[in-house]
Amino acid sequence: MRVWAVANQKGGVGKTTTSIALAGLLAESGKRVVVVDLDPHGSMTSYFGYNPDELEHTCFDLFLHKGAVPDGLPGQLLQSTSHENISLLPSSTALATLERQSPGHGGLGLVIAKSLAQLWQDFDYAIIDSPPLLGVLMVNALAASQQLVIPVQTEHLAVKGLERMVSTLAMINRSRKQPLPYCIVPTLFDRRTQASLGTLRVLRDTWPEHIWHGYIPVDTRLRDASRAGVTPSQFDGKSRSVVAYRALLKHLLTQLLVTQVA
Ligand SMILES: Nc1ncnc2c1ncn2[C@@H]1O[C@H](COP(=O)(O)OP(=O)(O)OP(=O)(O)O)[C@@H](O)[C@H]1O
Ligand SMILES: [Mg+2]
């Protein structure tokens, strides 16, 4: 199994959309995918038609055993989605209570890594959607993954948020065996605005080695897909955002080969 986290400490940059778009494309190509919703707001869980306020069993259950993960528990929590190849480990609003705890205390930092280890044979990919703040949940996402995707909205404030995310990553890397490779993905790009064009230029100049050279355009089809509860490629495989996400996926898969060889 390959594990990717999608994270940025800034809110509303397209993390959930990117997680679902990539999962949808992988699923379409026949890969078995588990999507993990670690955001207490549960946007991904809601996207697939579940209510994070009402679900009886969720990711939260994984955190209730002092850092240990009981045998078989992650598999019992899986829910089906609009695509037969995508399973969901759903979120609960109760996850918010964890954010107040320090990951070092109680050994809670590796709960998701341990949970995914139990699902290693059942899935080809895991994609973890993270909350927009640094806490136990984001630490879990980063500790469990082999590749990080950082969606960055192409607007002025985005660069500050990205700087914060990159320094968080440097901190996390100190406790990892290998640094986590990351890929910056410009999102919500509108070629008619100076803010989008200017930010894209700054991103490309500042992080040339980590940026994906395409961008995800603003596309109302993404909102329509979300309303329909299906992945963007299920909704409209030819929309411009899906074309862009397909190019991104190809890049991520190539980048992965490079890091495996290195
Ligand atoms: N490329 C896009 N074009 C148009 N709308 C988009 C695009 N990407 C995301 N959106 C919309 O913008 C909103 C925020 O996107 P999303 O929920 O993916 O961001 P997020 O980073 O996960 O937010 P949060 O930090 O709140 O979890 C959603 O309504 C989504 O449908
Ligand atoms: Mg989100």
Side-chain angles (χ1 to χ4, degrees), residues 34 42 69 84 89 140 178 186 205 257:
V34 56
V69 177
E84 59 177 358
L89 259 177
N140 263 273
Q178 289 170 345
D205 288 349
L257 288 178

Side-chain angles (χ1 to χ4, degrees), residues 98-112:
L98 290 171
E99 291 291 14
R100 281 180 237 123
Q101 301 181 23
S102 139
H105 293 160
L108 290 185
L110 291 175
V111 166
I112 294 301

